[in-house]
Amino acid sequence: QITTVSGNEFLLQSDIDFLILDWFHAIKNAIDRLPKEQRITSRNLEFKLRRSSSIELLHNLDTEPKEPKPEHRKSLIFRLNYSASDTNDRNRVKSRLKKFISRRPSLKTLQDKGLIKDQIFGSHLHLVCEHEKSTVPQFVRLCIKAVERRGLDVDGIYRVSGNLATIQKLRFVVNQEEKLNLDDSQWEDIHVVTGALKMFFRELPEPLFPYCFFEQFVEAIKIQDNATRIKSIRSLVKKLPRPNYDTMKILFEHLQKIAAKESVNLMSTQSLGIVFGPTLLRPEKETGNMAVHMLYQNQIVELMLSEYSKIFGSEED
């Protein structure tokens, strides 16, 4: 994360160590090329090695009128770079890391001891729900409430992209902290909230519509008779695992409210189908024509929004 003196924030994130080292050297070289009076102190330049083996570069840019002491600057740069320039030292570090990794406790052990928090993004839906003792992830509920409170009338809601760096920052907060306040000013842009919600569903290891149901839903949407098609979709939805069904129901109820404001936000059921189709259901392995698959994905979501009450309502309805 780079924070400038003017308050601008930039997030550079990668799991590839050598790529981040390239970023670091590029930023450092740019600083070194600045005129003396504009040069930025290097005292806040640091690397942090995370447990996931990814490296995050944190760089607080605070300009100082005076050049930092030469010996301080030299020792800091040496501390950061000596192992990268010395092959033997680098090999020794690799060897030690390998030994450490081979002896380290398992992820489950660390989670059981509370040393590592269970991730929300990228985890299976049923695992998130089991951890929270719920059938709908709390993050999904919070996002829906936030959007319904301040986003129903926003033009292009769910279609317009939010700032990706801020979305990634929100993703990090969700994965690391117990409490989340979406009314915080840093999440003021509602497109950041909708972007994070879509990212949550995209990153599920298995989509909201489980892989084993994909072909069945595609066959159902191909049925010509509308009443039979709705009945078939309803039957499949009722067979879904409880977390999938409950999460799907609350999400589609929410999207129906978005579509009801189409005259203001310009988001019809068709538009929402295009946005959410590929996000919520996809084949486990891509076969055949992807464009045809995408068409069916969109149509399934669109139908379920248009016929929400018939698909998710009680038998009496």
Side-chain angles (χ1 to χ4, degrees):
Q1 181 179 332
I2 303 174
T3 305
T4 67
V5 287
S6 59
N8 294 319
E9 291 187 354
F10 304 90
L11 181 67
L12 307 177
Q13 191 171 358
S14 176
D15 290 331
I16 305 171
D17 294 356
F18 73 82
L19 181 58
I20 296 182
L21 283 170
D22 286 344
W23 293 344
F24 165 69
H25 290 306
I27 294 170
K28 178 183 165 299
N29 290 338
I31 292 171
D32 290 341
R33 287 198 302 270
L34 287 171
K36 213 170 187 180
E37 62 275 9
Q38 296 180 16
R39 193 162 295 174
I40 296 160
T41 176
S42 58
R43 70 165 182 263
N44 290 324
L45 208 55
E46 59 174 329
F47 276 122
K48 284 189 178 178
L49 184 60
R50 294 199 173 277
R51 191 180 296 276
S52 63
S53 297
S54 64
I55 296 178
E56 183 182 67
L57 177 61
L58 301 175
H59 183 194
N60 294 320
L61 303 180
D62 61 331
T63 16
E64 286 188 347
K66 295 180 181 179
E67 176 77 354
K69 293 180 181 179
E71 63 273 13
H72 171 78
R73 187 181 183 89
K74 192 180 293 181
S75 64
L76 178 64
I77 293 173
F78 175 75
R79 188 165 69 250
L80 286 172
N81 295 325
Y82 81 96
S83 63
S85 61
D86 189 320
T87 305
N88 292 331
D89 284 348
R90 189 166 58 220
N91 289 338
R92 280 199 294 271
V93 170
K94 283 183 179 179
S95 176
R96 289 175 184 173
L97 279 174
K98 285 179 181 178
K99 289 179 181 177
F100 168 75
I101 291 170
S102 66
R103 294 197 303 265
R104 70 179 181 174
S106 67
L107 178 61
K108 187 177 187 309
T109 302
L110 292 171
Q111 288 173 334
D112 290 342
K113 290 182 177 180
L115 298 175
I116 293 183
K117 183 179 179 292
D118 291 330
Q119 301 288 285
I120 302 300
F121 281 76
S123 292
H124 284 275
L125 182 65
H126 71 277
L127 293 178
V128 175
C129 291
E130 282 175 16
H131 176 72
E132 296 180 350
K133 296 179 173 56
S134 171
T135 56
V136 179
Q138 181 65 13
F139 177 66
V140 174
R141 292 185 185 275
L142 288 174
C143 287
I144 286 174
K145 285 180 182 177
V147 175
E148 291 184 358
R149 193 165 57 247
R150 50 193 176 95
L152 290 178
D153 295 336
V154 175
D155 184 4
I157 191 72
Y158 283 112
R159 185 184 70 241
V160 175
S161 300
N163 180 276
L164 183 56
T166 311
I167 293 171
Q168 289 285 9
K169 188 176 180 181
L170 176 55
R171 178 185 186 275
F172 177 81
V173 170
V174 172
N175 275 341
Q176 298 299 320
E177 298 180 9
E178 291 291 339
K179 293 183 179 179
L180 174 67
N181 178 18
L182 288 178
D183 290 328
D184 190 293
S185 59
Q186 61 185 324
W187 322 126
E188 180 181 9
D189 181 4
I190 197 63
H191 297 303
V192 167
V193 178
T194 57
L197 182 60
K198 289 187 292 182
M199 182 179 285
F200 169 80
F201 284 112
R202 277 199 306 272
E203 292 192 3
L204 287 174
E206 185 170 30
L208 187 60
F209 289 71
Y211 288 131
C212 60
F213 282 83
F214 179 80
E215 291 299 336
Q216 297 177 66
F217 273 100
V218 169
E219 291 305 314
I221 201 66
K222 291 179 181 178
I223 298 172
Q224 294 299 312
D225 180 68
N226 190 52
T228 307
R229 183 166 60 235
I230 294 170
K231 186 177 179 181
S232 180
I233 294 283
R234 174 190 168 90
S235 175
L236 288 171
V237 166
K238 296 294 183 185
K239 293 177 183 176
L240 292 172
R242 183 69 184 275
N244 298 70
Y245 176 84
D246 286 356
T247 303
M248 191 180 295
K249 184 175 182 180
I250 196 174
L251 175 64
F252 276 80
E253 182 182 17
H254 164 65
L255 295 179
Q256 197 184 35
K257 293 177 183 177
I258 299 287
K261 292 272 192 172
E262 178 189 354
S263 60
V264 182
N265 59 37
L266 305 181
M267 291 300 290
S268 62
T269 54
Q270 184 178 18
S271 301
L272 291 168
I274 292 170
V275 170
F276 279 93
T279 299
L280 300 181
L281 71 159
R282 58 185 182 272
E284 188 168 9
K285 293 180 181 178
E286 283 295 346
T287 55
N289 192 325
M290 289 179 62
V292 173
H293 271 169
M294 188 173 293
L295 177 64
Y296 291 139
Q297 291 161 334
N298 300 351
Q299 288 177 349
I300 290 166
V301 172
E302 184 180 351
L303 177 72
M304 290 176 65
L305 284 173
S306 302
E307 304 294 346
Y308 174 85
S309 58
K310 292 180 181 177
I311 292 171
F312 290 97
S314 63
E315 294 291 343
E316 291 76 18
D317 296 341

